[in-house]
Structure formats: C-alpha cells, structure tokens
Amino acid sequence: MALDQESCLPCRDGAPLLDAAELAELLAQLPGWLVVDGHHLQKAWSFADFQQALDWLNRAGAICEAEGHHAEFSLGWGHAGAEVYTHKVDGLTRADAVLAAKLDGA
C-alpha cells in the first residue's frame, strides 16, 4: 500500500523509532523530503503567490487534523514548509513518513 493511503497510527510512549534502513526505504518514496539530523523530515514548496501558499497550508492543516498527527509549518509569500516528527518519542516513526506523503498531496 502506498504511504499516502495509510493512516497515521496513534503514537504511544516508547513507540519504535525508524532505524537507518527503514528510513532510507521510506525516504525513497518521499521525493523532495530531507532527513535533518536523523530527527525530522523537512520539505519546502514554492507557489505563485501568498494566497496559493496559504491555501496549501490550510489543506495540509486539515490533513493533520484528520490524521491526529501534526506538523510544524512555515509560511511566506510564495512558499511554505513543513517539518514532521513524532513529538511523543522525539524522533521519526512510520507515521511521519505517512504524514509526509499525505502532505505532498495537499
């Protein structure tokens, strides 16, 4: 099943962090996403103007609410960015890759 078709499973304390091999496999399915310090996923998008960036952010925020998994966002004229990690375990889990894939479709 494609990552964007999965659901973000609720995280619990002690949920397993992704190891390097798992992360590499998932990252291959997430074009443009970067792993930063082995801790979080990050991506930036470009838009024609502020309104398009804001519209994307609103769609992305709705996805986060629906999944119960929330990204950190940045927004400016013609650009938006997202940073994704699992706050409860302070690192990357499969749910982060699922959310990243869903944000690509926002």
Side-chain angles (χ1 to χ4, degrees):
M1 177 185 308
L3 283 172
D4 66 346
Q5 298 302 306
E6 294 183 33
S7 292
C8 295
L9 297 175
C11 186
R12 63 191 187 289
D13 285 329
L17 296 173
L18 294 172
D19 65 30
E22 291 168 320
L23 187 53
E25 181 182 328
L26 293 170
L27 196 59
Q29 301 175 60
L30 299 169
W33 284 89
L34 303 173
V35 178
V36 179
D37 297 329
H39 177 267
H40 58 273
L41 299 173
Q42 186 175 62
K43 186 171 181 177
W45 291 264
S46 295
F47 301 94
D49 56 30
F50 184 82
Q51 187 62 56
Q52 288 183 23
L54 181 59
D55 291 344
W56 175 87
L57 181 62
N58 286 323
R59 291 189 303 273
I63 290 168
C64 291
E65 278 296 297
E67 292 297 320
H69 190 47
H70 300 89
E72 303 286 334
F73 292 106
S74 62
L75 175 69
W77 196 96
H79 62 90
E83 181 178 289
V84 178
Y85 68 98
T86 300
H87 294 81
K88 191 165 253 182
V89 295
D90 197 27
L92 290 168
T93 67
R94 185 173 185 89
D96 301 312
V98 169
L99 183 58
K102 287 180 180 292
L103 293 179
D104 276 338

PDB file of all heavy atoms in Angstrom, residues 16-20 22-24 27 34-42 83-86 89-93 96:
ATOM      1  N   PRO A  16       8.480   2.585  18.482  1.00  0.00           N
ATOM      2  CA  PRO A  16       9.806   2.385  17.886  1.00  0.00           C
ATOM      3  C   PRO A  16      10.180   3.482  16.897  1.00  0.00           C
ATOM      4  O   PRO A  16       9.369   3.874  16.053  1.00  0.00           O
ATOM      5  CB  PRO A  16       9.672   1.035  17.177  1.00  0.00           C
ATOM      6  CG  PRO A  16       8.217   0.873  16.922  1.00  0.00           C
ATOM      7  CD  PRO A  16       7.517   1.591  18.045  1.00  0.00           C
ATOM      8  N   LEU A  17      11.388   3.973  17.039  1.00  0.00           N
ATOM      9  CA  LEU A  17      11.935   4.914  16.074  1.00  0.00           C
ATOM     10  C   LEU A  17      12.383   4.142  14.846  1.00  0.00           C
ATOM     11  O   LEU A  17      12.728   2.957  14.930  1.00  0.00           O
ATOM     12  CB  LEU A  17      13.119   5.663  16.680  1.00  0.00           C
ATOM     13  CG  LEU A  17      12.813   6.563  17.877  1.00  0.00           C
ATOM     14  CD1 LEU A  17      14.095   7.098  18.474  1.00  0.00           C
ATOM     15  CD2 LEU A  17      11.884   7.697  17.464  1.00  0.00           C
ATOM     16  N   LEU A  18      12.381   4.813  13.700  1.00  0.00           N
ATOM     17  CA  LEU A  18      12.858   4.180  12.477  1.00  0.00           C
ATOM     18  C   LEU A  18      14.364   4.013  12.537  1.00  0.00           C
ATOM     19  O   LEU A  18      15.083   4.937  12.954  1.00  0.00           O
ATOM     20  CB  LEU A  18      12.495   5.042  11.266  1.00  0.00           C
ATOM     21  CG  LEU A  18      11.010   5.194  10.953  1.00  0.00           C
ATOM     22  CD1 LEU A  18      10.815   6.233   9.862  1.00  0.00           C
ATOM     23  CD2 LEU A  18      10.405   3.857  10.567  1.00  0.00           C
ATOM     24  N   ASP A  19      14.856   2.846  12.119  1.00  0.00           N
ATOM     25  CA  ASP A  19      16.306   2.692  12.009  1.00  0.00           C
ATOM     26  C   ASP A  19      16.743   3.213  10.642  1.00  0.00           C
ATOM     27  O   ASP A  19      15.912   3.567   9.794  1.00  0.00           O
ATOM     28  CB  ASP A  19      16.741   1.243  12.258  1.00  0.00           C
ATOM     29  CG  ASP A  19      16.250   0.251  11.231  1.00  0.00           C
ATOM     30  OD1 ASP A  19      16.055   0.616  10.044  1.00  0.00           O
ATOM     31  OD2 ASP A  19      16.067  -0.927  11.589  1.00  0.00           O
ATOM     32  N   ALA A  20      18.021   3.275  10.394  1.00  0.00           N
ATOM     33  CA  ALA A  20      18.557   3.882   9.172  1.00  0.00           C
ATOM     34  C   ALA A  20      18.046   3.178   7.910  1.00  0.00           C
ATOM     35  O   ALA A  20      17.700   3.831   6.921  1.00  0.00           O
ATOM     36  CB  ALA A  20      20.078   3.876   9.208  1.00  0.00           C
ATOM     37  N   GLU A  22      15.206   1.403   7.517  1.00  0.00           N
ATOM     38  CA  GLU A  22      13.779   1.690   7.356  1.00  0.00           C
ATOM     39  C   GLU A  22      13.576   3.114   6.838  1.00  0.00           C
ATOM     40  O   GLU A  22      12.768   3.357   5.946  1.00  0.00           O
ATOM     41  CB  GLU A  22      13.048   1.537   8.689  1.00  0.00           C
ATOM     42  CG  GLU A  22      12.958   0.119   9.198  1.00  0.00           C
ATOM     43  CD  GLU A  22      12.483   0.054  10.635  1.00  0.00           C
ATOM     44  OE1 GLU A  22      12.898   0.890  11.464  1.00  0.00           O
ATOM     45  OE2 GLU A  22      11.686  -0.863  10.914  1.00  0.00           O
ATOM     46  N   LEU A  23      14.329   4.035   7.391  1.00  0.00           N
ATOM     47  CA  LEU A  23      14.224   5.430   6.986  1.00  0.00           C
ATOM     48  C   LEU A  23      14.616   5.602   5.520  1.00  0.00           C
ATOM     49  O   LEU A  23      13.932   6.291   4.759  1.00  0.00           O
ATOM     50  CB  LEU A  23      15.087   6.304   7.888  1.00  0.00           C
ATOM     51  CG  LEU A  23      14.964   7.803   7.718  1.00  0.00           C
ATOM     52  CD1 LEU A  23      13.518   8.255   7.814  1.00  0.00           C
ATOM     53  CD2 LEU A  23      15.817   8.508   8.760  1.00  0.00           C
ATOM     54  N   ALA A  24      15.689   4.942   5.097  1.00  0.00           N
ATOM     55  CA  ALA A  24      16.125   5.040   3.702  1.00  0.00           C
ATOM     56  C   ALA A  24      15.062   4.483   2.763  1.00  0.00           C
ATOM     57  O   ALA A  24      14.792   5.065   1.700  1.00  0.00           O
ATOM     58  CB  ALA A  24      17.451   4.307   3.519  1.00  0.00           C
ATOM     59  N   LEU A  27      12.158   7.012   2.708  1.00  0.00           N
ATOM     60  CA  LEU A  27      12.566   8.254   2.070  1.00  0.00           C
ATOM     61  C   LEU A  27      12.566   8.125   0.547  1.00  0.00           C
ATOM     62  O   LEU A  27      12.271   9.095  -0.162  1.00  0.00           O
ATOM     63  CB  LEU A  27      13.945   8.684   2.575  1.00  0.00           C
ATOM     64  CG  LEU A  27      14.344  10.123   2.307  1.00  0.00           C
ATOM     65  CD1 LEU A  27      13.351  11.096   2.931  1.00  0.00           C
ATOM     66  CD2 LEU A  27      15.738  10.388   2.832  1.00  0.00           C
ATOM     67  N   LEU A  34      13.719  15.825   3.054  1.00  0.00           N
ATOM     68  CA  LEU A  34      15.064  15.667   3.609  1.00  0.00           C
ATOM     69  C   LEU A  34      14.961  15.159   5.041  1.00  0.00           C
ATOM     70  O   LEU A  34      14.044  15.533   5.778  1.00  0.00           O
ATOM     71  CB  LEU A  34      15.803  17.005   3.625  1.00  0.00           C
ATOM     72  CG  LEU A  34      15.945  17.725   2.293  1.00  0.00           C
ATOM     73  CD1 LEU A  34      16.539  19.109   2.516  1.00  0.00           C
ATOM     74  CD2 LEU A  34      16.789  16.914   1.339  1.00  0.00           C
ATOM     75  N   VAL A  35      15.920  14.343   5.439  1.00  0.00           N
ATOM     76  CA  VAL A  35      16.041  13.946   6.838  1.00  0.00           C
ATOM     77  C   VAL A  35      17.052  14.895   7.464  1.00  0.00           C
ATOM     78  O   VAL A  35      18.175  15.024   6.977  1.00  0.00           O
ATOM     79  CB  VAL A  35      16.528  12.489   6.977  1.00  0.00           C
ATOM     80  CG1 VAL A  35      16.700  12.123   8.440  1.00  0.00           C
ATOM     81  CG2 VAL A  35      15.564  11.537   6.291  1.00  0.00           C
ATOM     82  N   VAL A  36      16.656  15.562   8.518  1.00  0.00           N
ATOM     83  CA  VAL A  36      17.520  16.538   9.177  1.00  0.00           C
ATOM     84  C   VAL A  36      17.981  15.970  10.516  1.00  0.00           C
ATOM     85  O   VAL A  36      17.161  15.656  11.387  1.00  0.00           O
ATOM     86  CB  VAL A  36      16.787  17.884   9.366  1.00  0.00           C
ATOM     87  CG1 VAL A  36      17.682  18.883  10.079  1.00  0.00           C
ATOM     88  CG2 VAL A  36      16.315  18.424   8.021  1.00  0.00           C
ATOM     89  N   ASP A  37      19.278  15.813  10.646  1.00  0.00           N
ATOM     90  CA  ASP A  37      19.896  15.319  11.886  1.00  0.00           C
ATOM     91  C   ASP A  37      19.326  13.987  12.353  1.00  0.00           C
ATOM     92  O   ASP A  37      19.317  13.695  13.547  1.00  0.00           O
ATOM     93  CB  ASP A  37      19.778  16.360  13.010  1.00  0.00           C
ATOM     94  CG  ASP A  37      20.514  17.649  12.695  1.00  0.00           C
ATOM     95  OD1 ASP A  37      21.537  17.583  11.979  1.00  0.00           O
ATOM     96  OD2 ASP A  37      20.069  18.713  13.152  1.00  0.00           O
ATOM     97  N   GLY A  38      18.801  13.181  11.427  1.00  0.00           N
ATOM     98  CA  GLY A  38      18.219  11.902  11.789  1.00  0.00           C
ATOM     99  C   GLY A  38      17.003  12.034  12.691  1.00  0.00           C
ATOM    100  O   GLY A  38      16.519  11.061  13.254  1.00  0.00           O
ATOM    101  N   HIS A  39      16.470  13.259  12.811  1.00  0.00           N
ATOM    102  CA  HIS A  39      15.423  13.561  13.788  1.00  0.00           C
ATOM    103  C   HIS A  39      14.075  13.907  13.170  1.00  0.00           C
ATOM    104  O   HIS A  39      13.033  13.560  13.705  1.00  0.00           O
ATOM    105  CB  HIS A  39      15.879  14.717  14.673  1.00  0.00           C
ATOM    106  CG  HIS A  39      14.858  15.153  15.659  1.00  0.00           C
ATOM    107  ND1 HIS A  39      13.957  16.171  15.412  1.00  0.00           N
ATOM    108  CD2 HIS A  39      14.569  14.689  16.894  1.00  0.00           C
ATOM    109  CE1 HIS A  39      13.170  16.325  16.458  1.00  0.00           C
ATOM    110  NE2 HIS A  39      13.515  15.443  17.369  1.00  0.00           N
ATOM    111  N   HIS A  40      14.089  14.638  12.050  1.00  0.00           N
ATOM    112  CA  HIS A  40      12.818  15.050  11.463  1.00  0.00           C
ATOM    113  C   HIS A  40      12.912  15.109   9.943  1.00  0.00           C
ATOM    114  O   HIS A  40      14.000  15.158   9.379  1.00  0.00           O
ATOM    115  CB  HIS A  40      12.325  16.384  12.041  1.00  0.00           C
ATOM    116  CG  HIS A  40      13.266  17.522  11.880  1.00  0.00           C
ATOM    117  ND1 HIS A  40      14.262  17.796  12.792  1.00  0.00           N
ATOM    118  CD2 HIS A  40      13.370  18.461  10.919  1.00  0.00           C
ATOM    119  CE1 HIS A  40      14.930  18.866  12.400  1.00  0.00           C
ATOM    120  NE2 HIS A  40      14.409  19.279  11.265  1.00  0.00           N
ATOM    121  N   LEU A  41      11.743  15.084   9.319  1.00  0.00           N
ATOM    122  CA  LEU A  41      11.631  15.237   7.878  1.00  0.00           C
ATOM    123  C   LEU A  41      11.286  16.688   7.593  1.00  0.00           C
ATOM    124  O   LEU A  41      10.533  17.312   8.342  1.00  0.00           O
ATOM    125  CB  LEU A  41      10.519  14.333   7.325  1.00  0.00           C
ATOM    126  CG  LEU A  41      10.702  12.839   7.534  1.00  0.00           C
ATOM    127  CD1 LEU A  41       9.450  12.086   7.089  1.00  0.00           C
ATOM    128  CD2 LEU A  41      11.918  12.342   6.771  1.00  0.00           C
ATOM    129  N   GLN A  42      11.816  17.206   6.479  1.00  0.00           N
ATOM    130  CA  GLN A  42      11.600  18.610   6.154  1.00  0.00           C
ATOM    131  C   GLN A  42      11.440  18.757   4.644  1.00  0.00           C
ATOM    132  O   GLN A  42      12.138  18.093   3.869  1.00  0.00           O
ATOM    133  CB  GLN A  42      12.794  19.413   6.634  1.00  0.00           C
ATOM    134  CG  GLN A  42      12.660  20.901   6.509  1.00  0.00           C
ATOM    135  CD  GLN A  42      13.877  21.566   7.145  1.00  0.00           C
ATOM    136  OE1 GLN A  42      14.996  21.365   6.700  1.00  0.00           O
ATOM    137  NE2 GLN A  42      13.636  22.339   8.178  1.00  0.00           N
ATOM    138  N   GLU A  83       7.810  20.558   8.697  1.00  0.00           N
ATOM    139  CA  GLU A  83       8.751  19.738   9.456  1.00  0.00           C
ATOM    140  C   GLU A  83       7.901  18.703  10.194  1.00  0.00           C
ATOM    141  O   GLU A  83       6.931  19.059  10.852  1.00  0.00           O
ATOM    142  CB  GLU A  83       9.503  20.620  10.433  1.00  0.00           C
ATOM    143  CG  GLU A  83      10.525  19.915  11.259  1.00  0.00           C
ATOM    144  CD  GLU A  83      11.250  20.881  12.172  1.00  0.00           C
ATOM    145  OE1 GLU A  83      12.051  21.697  11.670  1.00  0.00           O
ATOM    146  OE2 GLU A  83      10.991  20.824  13.392  1.00  0.00           O
ATOM    147  N   VAL A  84       8.270  17.445  10.024  1.00  0.00           N
ATOM    148  CA  VAL A  84       7.470  16.360  10.577  1.00  0.00           C
ATOM    149  C   VAL A  84       8.341  15.454  11.440  1.00  0.00           C
ATOM    150  O   VAL A  84       9.414  15.035  11.003  1.00  0.00           O
ATOM    151  CB  VAL A  84       6.824  15.519   9.443  1.00  0.00           C
ATOM    152  CG1 VAL A  84       6.026  14.374  10.011  1.00  0.00           C
ATOM    153  CG2 VAL A  84       5.978  16.390   8.540  1.00  0.00           C
ATOM    154  N   TYR A  85       7.882  15.185  12.645  1.00  0.00           N
ATOM    155  CA  TYR A  85       8.473  14.160  13.507  1.00  0.00           C
ATOM    156  C   TYR A  85       7.455  13.814  14.569  1.00  0.00           C
ATOM    157  O   TYR A  85       6.440  14.508  14.724  1.00  0.00           O
ATOM    158  CB  TYR A  85       9.802  14.613  14.124  1.00  0.00           C
ATOM    159  CG  TYR A  85       9.721  15.724  15.130  1.00  0.00           C
ATOM    160  CD1 TYR A  85       9.719  15.448  16.495  1.00  0.00           C
ATOM    161  CD2 TYR A  85       9.667  17.048  14.729  1.00  0.00           C
ATOM    162  CE1 TYR A  85       9.647  16.477  17.436  1.00  0.00           C
ATOM    163  CE2 TYR A  85       9.595  18.079  15.647  1.00  0.00           C
ATOM    164  CZ  TYR A  85       9.592  17.781  16.994  1.00  0.00           C
ATOM    165  OH  TYR A  85       9.515  18.793  17.918  1.00  0.00           O
ATOM    166  N   THR A  86       7.677  12.736  15.273  1.00  0.00           N
ATOM    167  CA  THR A  86       6.752  12.318  16.312  1.00  0.00           C
ATOM    168  C   THR A  86       7.200  12.932  17.634  1.00  0.00           C
ATOM    169  O   THR A  86       8.222  12.537  18.196  1.00  0.00           O
ATOM    170  CB  THR A  86       6.687  10.774  16.397  1.00  0.00           C
ATOM    171  OG1 THR A  86       6.235  10.285  15.126  1.00  0.00           O
ATOM    172  CG2 THR A  86       5.723  10.323  17.473  1.00  0.00           C
ATOM    173  N   VAL A  89       7.930  10.762  20.937  1.00  0.00           N
ATOM    174  CA  VAL A  89       9.168   9.990  21.083  1.00  0.00           C
ATOM    175  C   VAL A  89      10.388  10.790  20.604  1.00  0.00           C
ATOM    176  O   VAL A  89      11.494  10.268  20.551  1.00  0.00           O
ATOM    177  CB  VAL A  89       9.094   8.625  20.347  1.00  0.00           C
ATOM    178  CG1 VAL A  89       8.033   7.744  20.982  1.00  0.00           C
ATOM    179  CG2 VAL A  89       8.843   8.803  18.863  1.00  0.00           C
ATOM    180  N   ASP A  90      10.149  12.070  20.226  1.00  0.00           N
ATOM    181  CA  ASP A  90      11.218  12.978  19.807  1.00  0.00           C
ATOM    182  C   ASP A  90      12.086  12.377  18.702  1.00  0.00           C
ATOM    183  O   ASP A  90      13.306  12.353  18.792  1.00  0.00           O
ATOM    184  CB  ASP A  90      12.076  13.380  21.003  1.00  0.00           C
ATOM    185  CG  ASP A  90      12.915  14.613  20.703  1.00  0.00           C
ATOM    186  OD1 ASP A  90      12.496  15.422  19.849  1.00  0.00           O
ATOM    187  OD2 ASP A  90      13.998  14.747  21.294  1.00  0.00           O
ATOM    188  N   GLY A  91      11.425  11.871  17.673  1.00  0.00           N
ATOM    189  CA  GLY A  91      12.149  11.294  16.548  1.00  0.00           C
ATOM    190  C   GLY A  91      11.186  10.834  15.466  1.00  0.00           C
ATOM    191  O   GLY A  91      10.013  11.199  15.462  1.00  0.00           O
ATOM    192  N   LEU A  92      11.702  10.024  14.556  1.00  0.00           N
ATOM    193  CA  LEU A  92      10.941   9.605  13.388  1.00  0.00           C
ATOM    194  C   LEU A  92      10.332   8.216  13.542  1.00  0.00           C
ATOM    195  O   LEU A  92      11.025   7.264  13.903  1.00  0.00           O
ATOM    196  CB  LEU A  92      11.842   9.630  12.153  1.00  0.00           C
ATOM    197  CG  LEU A  92      12.247  11.037  11.692  1.00  0.00           C
ATOM    198  CD1 LEU A  92      13.360  10.973  10.666  1.00  0.00           C
ATOM    199  CD2 LEU A  92      11.041  11.773  11.147  1.00  0.00           C
ATOM    200  N   THR A  93       9.041   8.129  13.237  1.00  0.00           N
ATOM    201  CA  THR A  93       8.325   6.863  13.203  1.00  0.00           C
ATOM    202  C   THR A  93       7.675   6.737  11.826  1.00  0.00           C
ATOM    203  O   THR A  93       7.670   7.687  11.033  1.00  0.00           O
ATOM    204  CB  THR A  93       7.229   6.798  14.287  1.00  0.00           C
ATOM    205  OG1 THR A  93       6.213   7.762  13.976  1.00  0.00           O
ATOM    206  CG2 THR A  93       7.795   7.048  15.675  1.00  0.00           C
ATOM    207  N   ASP A  96       5.333   9.430  10.564  1.00  0.00           N
ATOM    208  CA  ASP A  96       5.892  10.654   9.985  1.00  0.00           C
ATOM    209  C   ASP A  96       6.016  10.533   8.470  1.00  0.00           C
ATOM    210  O   ASP A  96       5.725  11.479   7.740  1.00  0.00           O
ATOM    211  CB  ASP A  96       7.242  10.974  10.619  1.00  0.00           C
ATOM    212  CG  ASP A  96       7.118  11.163  12.112  1.00  0.00           C
ATOM    213  OD1 ASP A  96       6.215  11.909  12.533  1.00  0.00           O
ATOM    214  OD2 ASP A  96       7.884  10.535  12.854  1.00  0.00           O
TER     215      ASP A  96
END
